[in-house]
mmCIF file of all heavy atoms in Angstrom:
data_model
loop_
_atom_site.group_PDB
_atom_site.id
_atom_site.type_symbol
_atom_site.label_atom_id
_atom_site.label_comp_id
_atom_site.label_asym_id
_atom_site.label_seq_id
_atom_site.Cartn_x
_atom_site.Cartn_y
_atom_site.Cartn_z
ATOM 1 N N LEU A 136 113.983 138.392 110.364
ATOM 2 C CA LEU A 136 113.339 139.547 109.734
ATOM 3 C C LEU A 136 113.125 140.684 110.738
ATOM 4 O O LEU A 136 113.137 141.859 110.352
ATOM 5 C CB LEU A 136 112.002 139.123 109.122
ATOM 6 C CG LEU A 136 112.101 138.273 107.848
ATOM 7 C CD1 LEU A 136 110.717 137.871 107.357
ATOM 8 C CD2 LEU A 136 112.856 139.036 106.754
ATOM 9 N N ILE A 137 112.947 140.337 112.021
ATOM 10 C CA ILE A 137 112.771 141.399 113.023
ATOM 11 C C ILE A 137 114.036 142.270 113.076
ATOM 12 O O ILE A 137 113.958 143.492 113.112
ATOM 13 C CB ILE A 137 112.479 140.799 114.415
ATOM 14 C CG1 ILE A 137 111.169 140.015 114.397
ATOM 15 C CG2 ILE A 137 112.406 141.901 115.468
ATOM 16 C CD1 ILE A 137 110.873 139.291 115.698
ATOM 17 N N TYR A 138 115.196 141.605 113.040
ATOM 18 C CA TYR A 138 116.457 142.360 113.059
ATOM 19 C C TYR A 138 116.571 143.246 111.832
ATOM 20 O O TYR A 138 116.954 144.405 111.898
ATOM 21 C CB TYR A 138 117.651 141.402 113.121
ATOM 22 C CG TYR A 138 117.954 140.927 114.512
ATOM 23 C CD1 TYR A 138 117.419 139.746 114.988
ATOM 24 C CD2 TYR A 138 118.779 141.687 115.342
ATOM 25 C CE1 TYR A 138 117.691 139.316 116.270
ATOM 26 C CE2 TYR A 138 119.059 141.257 116.635
ATOM 27 C CZ TYR A 138 118.508 140.075 117.097
ATOM 28 O OH TYR A 138 118.781 139.659 118.354
ATOM 29 N N VAL A 139 116.234 142.651 110.670
ATOM 30 C CA VAL A 139 116.314 143.428 109.428
ATOM 31 C C VAL A 139 115.389 144.636 109.507
ATOM 32 O O VAL A 139 115.758 145.765 109.192
ATOM 33 C CB VAL A 139 115.931 142.539 108.225
ATOM 34 C CG1 VAL A 139 115.862 143.372 106.955
ATOM 35 C CG2 VAL A 139 116.930 141.399 108.078
ATOM 36 N N TYR A 140 114.154 144.369 109.994
ATOM 37 C CA TYR A 140 113.135 145.414 110.036
ATOM 38 C C TYR A 140 113.537 146.536 110.977
ATOM 39 O O TYR A 140 113.367 147.719 110.677
ATOM 40 C CB TYR A 140 111.809 144.793 110.482
ATOM 41 C CG TYR A 140 110.675 145.771 110.591
ATOM 42 C CD1 TYR A 140 109.968 146.158 109.458
ATOM 43 C CD2 TYR A 140 110.316 146.300 111.826
ATOM 44 C CE1 TYR A 140 108.935 147.050 109.561
ATOM 45 C CE2 TYR A 140 109.286 147.199 111.933
ATOM 46 C CZ TYR A 140 108.591 147.574 110.792
ATOM 47 O OH TYR A 140 107.572 148.463 110.885
ATOM 48 N N SER A 141 114.119 146.159 112.144
ATOM 49 C CA SER A 141 114.400 147.182 113.157
ATOM 50 C C SER A 141 115.862 147.622 113.149
ATOM 51 O O SER A 141 116.267 148.406 113.999
ATOM 52 C CB SER A 141 114.045 146.645 114.537
ATOM 53 O OG SER A 141 114.878 145.526 114.826
ATOM 54 N N ASN A 142 116.615 147.119 112.190
ATOM 55 C CA ASN A 142 118.059 147.393 112.155
ATOM 56 C C ASN A 142 118.741 147.022 113.458
ATOM 57 O O ASN A 142 119.741 147.631 113.846
ATOM 58 C CB ASN A 142 118.321 148.875 111.862
ATOM 59 C CG ASN A 142 118.104 149.163 110.398
ATOM 60 O OD1 ASN A 142 118.423 148.329 109.546
ATOM 61 N ND2 ASN A 142 117.527 150.316 110.112
ATOM 62 N N GLY A 143 118.148 146.082 114.159
ATOM 63 C CA GLY A 143 118.746 145.655 115.420
ATOM 64 C C GLY A 143 118.595 146.670 116.534
ATOM 65 O O GLY A 143 119.190 146.534 117.596
ATOM 66 N N LYS A 144 117.785 147.725 116.310
ATOM 67 C CA LYS A 144 117.635 148.774 117.340
ATOM 68 C C LYS A 144 116.353 148.579 118.127
ATOM 69 O O LYS A 144 115.407 147.961 117.670
ATOM 70 C CB LYS A 144 117.609 150.146 116.664
ATOM 71 C CG LYS A 144 118.916 150.515 115.991
ATOM 72 C CD LYS A 144 118.978 152.023 115.783
ATOM 73 C CE LYS A 144 120.240 152.412 115.027
ATOM 74 N NZ LYS A 144 120.120 152.113 113.571
ATOM 75 N N TRP A 145 116.343 149.149 119.331
ATOM 76 C CA TRP A 145 115.132 149.153 120.135
ATOM 77 C C TRP A 145 114.121 150.118 119.523
ATOM 78 O O TRP A 145 114.496 151.148 118.984
ATOM 79 C CB TRP A 145 115.427 149.626 121.570
ATOM 80 C CG TRP A 145 116.250 148.659 122.368
ATOM 81 C CD1 TRP A 145 117.192 147.815 121.885
ATOM 82 C CD2 TRP A 145 116.185 148.474 123.771
ATOM 83 N NE1 TRP A 145 117.717 147.091 122.907
ATOM 84 C CE2 TRP A 145 117.132 147.461 124.082
ATOM 85 C CE3 TRP A 145 115.426 149.042 124.805
ATOM 86 C CZ2 TRP A 145 117.324 147.024 125.384
ATOM 87 C CZ3 TRP A 145 115.619 148.612 126.097
ATOM 88 C CH2 TRP A 145 116.556 147.592 126.384
ATOM 89 N N ILE A 146 112.855 149.789 119.655
ATOM 90 C CA ILE A 146 111.804 150.710 119.237
ATOM 91 C C ILE A 146 111.233 151.325 120.513
ATOM 92 O O ILE A 146 110.598 150.641 121.307
ATOM 93 C CB ILE A 146 110.720 149.979 118.434
ATOM 94 C CG1 ILE A 146 111.358 149.340 117.193
ATOM 95 C CG2 ILE A 146 109.613 150.943 118.024
ATOM 96 C CD1 ILE A 146 110.612 148.153 116.687
ATOM 97 N N GLU A 147 111.521 152.637 120.688
ATOM 98 C CA GLU A 147 111.174 153.266 121.965
ATOM 99 C C GLU A 147 110.342 154.516 121.715
ATOM 100 O O GLU A 147 109.909 154.779 120.608
ATOM 101 C CB GLU A 147 112.455 153.678 122.707
ATOM 102 C CG GLU A 147 113.318 152.514 123.078
ATOM 103 C CD GLU A 147 114.646 152.985 123.630
ATOM 104 O OE1 GLU A 147 115.506 153.441 122.836
ATOM 105 O OE2 GLU A 147 114.816 152.914 124.863
ATOM 106 N N ASN A 148 110.182 155.303 122.797
ATOM 107 C CA ASN A 148 109.492 156.589 122.734
ATOM 108 C C ASN A 148 108.090 156.463 122.166
ATOM 109 O O ASN A 148 107.684 157.209 121.283
ATOM 110 C CB ASN A 148 110.282 157.597 121.877
ATOM 111 C CG ASN A 148 111.683 157.786 122.432
ATOM 112 O OD1 ASN A 148 111.863 157.777 123.654
ATOM 113 N ND2 ASN A 148 112.657 157.897 121.541
ATOM 114 N N LEU A 149 107.353 155.477 122.657
ATOM 115 C CA LEU A 149 105.961 155.338 122.229
ATOM 116 C C LEU A 149 105.118 156.376 122.962
ATOM 117 O O LEU A 149 105.440 156.756 124.082
ATOM 118 C CB LEU A 149 105.461 153.931 122.552
ATOM 119 C CG LEU A 149 106.217 152.816 121.845
ATOM 120 C CD1 LEU A 149 105.615 151.474 122.183
ATOM 121 C CD2 LEU A 149 106.205 153.033 120.343
ATOM 122 N N PRO A 150 104.057 156.851 122.313
ATOM 123 C CA PRO A 150 103.196 157.842 122.970
ATOM 124 C C PRO A 150 102.632 157.280 124.278
ATOM 125 O O PRO A 150 102.286 156.104 124.378
ATOM 126 C CB PRO A 150 102.078 158.097 121.946
ATOM 127 C CG PRO A 150 102.164 156.983 120.973
ATOM 128 C CD PRO A 150 103.579 156.513 120.964
ATOM 129 N N PHE A 151 102.532 158.195 125.261
ATOM 130 C CA PHE A 151 102.085 157.772 126.571
ATOM 131 C C PHE A 151 100.677 157.170 126.518
ATOM 132 O O PHE A 151 100.361 156.220 127.228
ATOM 133 C CB PHE A 151 102.133 158.976 127.536
ATOM 134 C CG PHE A 151 101.615 158.643 128.894
ATOM 135 C CD1 PHE A 151 102.399 157.905 129.788
ATOM 136 C CD2 PHE A 151 100.328 159.026 129.281
ATOM 137 C CE1 PHE A 151 101.914 157.587 131.030
ATOM 138 C CE2 PHE A 151 99.841 158.681 130.533
ATOM 139 C CZ PHE A 151 100.624 157.968 131.414
ATOM 140 N N ALA A 152 99.846 157.761 125.654
ATOM 141 C CA ALA A 152 98.445 157.321 125.593
ATOM 142 C C ALA A 152 98.359 155.829 125.283
ATOM 143 O O ALA A 152 97.501 155.122 125.812
ATOM 144 C CB ALA A 152 97.685 158.112 124.526
#
Side-chain angles (χ1 to χ4, degrees):
Chain A
L136 287 178
I137 297 175
Y138 278 93
V139 174
Y140 179 81
S141 63
N142 283 323
K144 294 200 184 77
W145 291 31
I146 301 154
E147 297 172 285
N148 302 324
L149 298 182
F151 177 76

